[in-house]
Amino acid sequence: MKLSHFQFDLPKELLAEYPAENRDESRLMVIDRKKQTIEHKLFKDVIDYFDDGDVLILNNTKVFPARLYGNKEKTGARIEVFLLRELNSEQRLWDVLVDPARKIRIGNKLYFGDDDSLVAEVIDNTTSRGRTLRFLYDGSYEEFRNKLTELGETPIPKYISRDVTPEDAERYQTIYAKEEGAVAAPTAGLHFSKQLLKKLEIKGIKFAEVTLHVGLGTFNPVEVEDLSKHKMDSEELKITQEACDIVNEAKAKKKRICTVGTTSMRAVESSVSSNNTLNPFDGWTNKFVFPPHEFTIPTCMITNFHTPKSTLLMMVSAFCGHDLMKRAYAEAIQEGYKFYSYGDAMLII
């Protein structure tokens, strides 16, 4: 498969600027790989496709307010700082992206907050937009993290052209988010409401939680025609023994195992044993799933509608089958489905 196989024209008005009014009332496209059929439902209808003993694999990562705005010393120029990952908690070193990057050099200082209560010094260049910052703050580590949260903004995707609203802090977060560390939400999970999760639980569906801290690498454009040459950024992943037990028991009983989102899919496909069971994992993964790929753990997946040439679309193609995926996307555009982070959902069975 080549990069050009994943190009399609996406009308701009189909990029969702706002979430659906109710989480579980987004639209749901159901794709049956065996029957080669496409159905149109609401997300809450997802319950009809699962039975007692089936498993949903959820990514319980929690988005932190990763976007900060500071001012450059002397010039006062407004600089956006996007926190990617903490490198050293004692020294308060962070990997960040800065914008505009051409103005930010090693040795520059940035001031945050109306009272300049937080200062950062640029100590290294990592990529064209990437920098390493050392934060200077008078206070404990806990107080420093609280300050970052206070000054930070919910990191809704750049394509959303409006300002961040207080509602985004709640809606750009799954209701089962627990482990803080993501700079982007695992968006397929945004469609689950508390009521829907409860109904699934009552029906006997089990939940296996994994933690994959979503980084910006997930959204980095693929710039090589030969997909095997693309390198994914590493993301932190944790899979517990408890999650493995839930999944492996369902697998042994031939129950339906559904990954909620491409991040959950990448998590489980990163840690498969030689016996084709799920292994515990604690580390980093740069797994890139693209066609052809033989999936060993999931029998179905829930995902959103993705943008052209994205690694997420490539994973969906690998799971769904490329021709069926293309047909589904053409129908989604024709039917006015909403795409991307706040968009509608797809269930592939």
Side-chain angles (χ1 to χ4, degrees), residues 244-257:
C244 294
D245 292 344
I246 293 167
V247 169
N248 293 334
E249 184 188 350
K251 192 168 165 50
K253 291 178 178 174
K254 297 197 163 28
K255 296 290 185 182
R256 187 165 267 180
I257 299 169

Side-chain angles (χ1 to χ4, degrees), residues 4 20 24 35 127 131 145 160 251 300 329 341:
S4 48
D24 58 15
K35 295 180 188 167
T127 61
R131 302 289 185 272
R145 288 305 296 250
I160 296 178
K251 192 168 165 50
C300 58
Y329 267 62
S341 300

Side-chain angles (χ1 to χ4, degrees), residues 283-299:
W284 296 76
T285 178
N286 62 353
K287 183 82 173 171
F288 176 31
V289 179
F290 63 97
H293 179 85
E294 200 169 316
F295 292 85
T296 41
I297 302 295
T299 61

Side-chain angles (χ1 to χ4, degrees), residues 87-345:
L87 300 174
N88 185 309
S89 57
E90 279 179 30
Q91 295 182 34
R92 297 176 189 176
L93 295 181
W94 280 76
D95 237 345
V96 305
L97 295 178
V98 292
D99 191 20
R102 59 192 158 72
K103 295 184 174 181
I104 303 302
R105 297 187 173 89
I106 293 172
N108 287 160
K109 283 200 170 79
L110 299 170
Y111 293 85
F112 302 90
D114 296 336
D115 55 356
D116 295 342
S117 55
L118 182 64
V119 182
E121 184 180 4
V122 182
I123 62 168
D124 199 8
N125 293 333
T126 51
T127 61
S128 58
R129 287 182 57 214
R131 302 289 185 272
T132 302
L133 297 188
R134 177 186 285 119
F135 283 98
L136 312 168
Y137 181 72
D138 291 332
S140 67
Y141 178 72
E142 191 180 345
E143 288 166 336
F144 163 64
R145 288 305 296 250
N146 289 341
K147 178 58 77 171
L148 286 183
T149 301
E150 176 198 319
L151 295 172
E153 202 175 78
T154 303
I156 60 172
K158 279 282 197 185
Y159 79 85
I160 296 178
S161 52
R162 61 176 174 80
D163 289 337
V164 175
T165 66
E167 182 195 33
D168 289 314
E170 182 212 343
R171 291 301 302 272
Y172 195 62
Q173 194 83 269
T174 63
I175 57 162
Y176 47 77
K178 288 178 193 162
E179 305 292 336
E180 192 171 83
V183 300
T187 53
L190 299 180
H191 302 289
F192 285 92
S193 63
K194 283 184 178 148
Q195 295 89 331
L196 180 56
L197 278 183
K198 196 70 196 164
K199 285 178 184 171
L200 286 160
E201 195 182 323
I202 289 166
K203 198 173 177 183
I205 286 93
K206 295 180 176 174
F207 306 108
E209 294 187 11
V210 297
T211 306
L212 182 96
H213 290 318
V214 190
L216 284 186
T218 300
F219 310 101
N220 276 353
V222 179
E223 291 170 340
V224 286
E225 183 65 9
D226 180 352
L227 300 186
S228 65
K229 302 271 195 302
H230 177 68
K231 296 284 184 284
M232 291 285 283
D233 277 5
S234 289
E235 294 169 321
E236 198 172 353
L237 169 62
K238 185 164 191 177
I239 303 174
T240 62
Q241 184 63 56
E242 182 189 1
C244 294
D245 292 344
I246 293 167
V247 169
N248 293 334
E249 184 188 350
K251 192 168 165 50
K253 291 178 178 174
K254 297 197 163 28
K255 296 290 185 182
R256 187 165 267 180
I257 299 169
C258 182
T259 49
V260 176
T262 55
T263 61
S264 297
M265 179 71 86
R266 194 157 70 258
V268 298
E269 288 297 301
S270 295
S271 193
V272 179
S273 74
S274 54
N275 302 324
N276 288 343
T277 55
L278 185 60
N279 270 350
F281 190 99
D282 192 351
W284 296 76
T285 178
N286 62 353
K287 183 82 173 171
F288 176 31
V289 179
F290 63 97
H293 179 85
E294 200 169 316
F295 292 85
T296 41
I297 302 295
T299 61
C300 58
M301 80 179 289
I302 294 169
T303 187
N304 278 21
F305 288 90
H306 306 296
T307 49
K309 295 185 173 179
S310 61
T311 58
L312 312 175
L313 183 63
M314 291 161 192
M315 180 188 289
V316 172
S317 164
F319 191 76
C320 184
H322 193 70
D323 292 341
L324 183 55
M325 182 273 289
K326 280 183 76 173
R327 185 155 67 86
Y329 267 62
E331 195 161 319
I333 290 169
Q334 192 183 325
E335 296 287 330
Y337 275 74
K338 292 292 189 184
F339 278 64
Y340 218 37
S341 300
Y342 274 152
D344 294 313

Side-chain angles (χ1 to χ4, degrees), residues 24-26 28 42-48 191 196 199:
D24 58 15
E25 288 183 356
S26 297
L28 177 71
L42 287 178
F43 191 80
K44 58 189 177 187
D45 299 327
V46 81
I47 193 167
D48 299 336
H191 302 289
L196 180 56
K199 285 178 184 171

